[in-house]
Amino acid sequence: MLYQQIARNKRKTSLVMAAFFLLVALVGAALGYWFNGSAVFGIFIAAVIALIYISVMVGRSTEVVMNMNHAREIHSATEAPQLWHVVEDMAMVASVPMPRVFIIDDPSPNAFATGNDPQHAAVAATTGLLQLMNREELEAVMGHEMSHVRNYDIRLQTIALALSAAITALVNFAGNFWWLGGGRSRDDDEDSEIGVLAIFGSILLVILAPLAASIAQMVLSRNREYLADAGSVELTRNPQGMIAALRKLENVQPMKQADPNSSALYITDPEKNAKHKRWFAHLFDTHPPLEDRIKRIEEM
């Protein structure tokens, strides 16, 4: 069951990332057709913009994310012995290099991992997490984060964030300069029903693109959280530790200084109380409901 779940989630992730790149291409094609009468030209420009965003985000992800979340780095076990040794142990079990370790001064329990790859990874835990969790539960949480590192989820989330930013930039350009477009395509296809439909479709696609990008990010994040939970069980050989940790995260207060753009990175949504929500309130969450995550582990 464990390895089947891991394989299934990896396949879903590949499909979501393919859909993300397809969405960028479609937005580029729509803008290219509207402004230049050429969908191919638009796809080329969109690809260039996306690559620029990805390069910038991947190159500076750790520093940017840690600064946005007010995290301070610790450099030895003397500063936070239990956290340091647990991260060290989980990195060894996961066969990845020891990541940089950060602490966020916040009473709400939470944690996340970021970076470009396992060789340049970093993990962060809040002071609330260190106070609430016993060693077994802390191992489960860090096993979850180390699974994100081992599975390259940290890079996937960075790329997804960059693609969303690229889509936003393209849509903002269209919103600011829409009046410059449409001339060439209308001249060529003034009496063409196909041309009119293509223009209408381009406008509709550009309007809906940011929502589609948000949904893609949501699906990607949810899928990777299930996979990281399973990965933690694989690393610790202790499903009860992961279950106990998730139960302690069910009824906690939101974090005070978490950056909204980093919400998908955390083990649970830092901006919302995970419990006492109606089913429809979970539809647009970046994380699956904790009760669902616990149920999946219990079924392993």
Side-chain angles (χ1 to χ4, degrees):
M1 177 65 184
L2 173 62
Y3 295 105
Q4 290 175 350
Q5 180 175 327
I6 290 174
R8 182 172 63 250
N9 284 329
K10 285 183 177 179
R11 288 193 297 270
K12 288 181 180 178
T13 296
S14 298
L15 292 175
V16 172
M17 289 305 297
F20 231 134
F21 281 104
L22 178 62
L23 180 60
V24 172
L26 288 174
V27 172
L31 295 181
Y33 184 81
W34 176 253
F35 287 100
N36 194 54
S38 172
V40 174
F41 175 79
I43 292 174
F44 174 76
I45 295 299
V48 171
I49 292 174
L51 287 174
I52 291 173
Y53 271 89
I54 290 172
S55 298
V56 172
M57 286 298 298
V58 168
R60 301 183 56 197
S61 60
T62 299
E63 284 70 22
V64 169
V65 171
M66 291 304 178
N67 286 334
M68 288 193 305
N69 290 276
H70 309 283
R72 58 180 174 86
E73 186 171 5
I74 62 174
H75 300 89
S76 68
T78 57
E79 298 175 76
Q82 181 162 270
L83 174 62
W84 184 274
H85 291 308
V86 166
V87 172
E88 195 172 43
D89 290 346
M90 289 297 99
M92 187 180 303
V93 174
S95 300
V96 298
M98 173 74 175
R100 295 164 65 185
V101 182
F102 291 77
I103 292 179
I104 301 171
D105 292 317
D106 195 296
S108 181
N110 224 316
F112 70 85
T114 188
N116 305 331
D117 51 49
Q119 288 70 40
H120 303 90
V123 295
T126 64
T127 51
L129 185 85
L130 301 180
Q131 293 170 358
L132 183 65
M133 303 289 172
N134 60 35
R135 184 181 178 90
E136 183 180 59
E137 294 156 354
L138 185 60
E139 284 180 348
V141 172
M142 287 300 117
H144 174 102
E145 301 307 332
M146 220 54 62
S147 294
H148 280 312
V149 172
R150 182 183 63 169
N151 297 335
Y152 283 80
D153 295 346
I154 50 178
R155 179 180 291 177
L156 279 172
Q157 292 290 0
T158 298
I159 292 174
L161 182 60
L163 291 175
S164 292
I167 290 171
T168 300
L170 290 168
V171 170
N172 287 341
F173 175 84
N176 292 329
F177 299 100
W178 64 270
W179 49 273
L180 293 175
R184 181 174 174 181
S185 58
R186 278 199 295 268
D187 288 341
D188 293 340
D189 302 308
E190 186 173 349
D191 299 320
S192 170
E193 183 178 342
I194 295 177
V196 172
L197 290 175
I199 292 172
F200 177 77
S202 298
I203 295 172
L204 184 63
L205 178 61
V206 169
I207 292 173
L208 296 178
L211 176 61
S214 297
I215 293 174
Q217 269 193 299
M218 176 199 72
V219 174
L220 179 65
S221 176
R222 288 187 175 194
N223 190 46
R224 303 316 285 183
E225 288 306 305
Y226 284 129
L227 180 57
D229 288 343
S232 177
V233 173
E234 179 189 10
L235 294 177
T236 62
R237 304 295 180 184
N238 181 13
Q240 293 306 317
M242 190 73 246
I243 291 172
L246 292 176
R247 289 198 188 283
K248 284 188 175 182
L249 295 173
E250 278 188 315
N251 193 24
V252 299
Q253 294 303 312
M255 289 178 63
K256 297 178 179 179
Q257 301 186 74
D259 176 70
N261 294 319
S262 307
S263 294
L265 299 177
Y266 282 87
I267 189 170
T268 187
D269 194 331
E271 299 183 282
K272 301 176 182 177
N273 187 309
K275 205 173 183 182
H276 308 305
K277 294 174 66 177
R278 297 182 184 275
W279 67 268
F280 53 79
H282 288 296
L283 290 178
F284 295 100
D285 285 354
T286 56
H287 294 66
L290 288 174
E291 57 267 27
D292 290 354
R293 294 167 65 179
I294 292 171
K295 184 178 179 180
R296 285 204 182 192
I297 297 172
E298 290 174 338
E299 291 174 350
M300 287 182 180

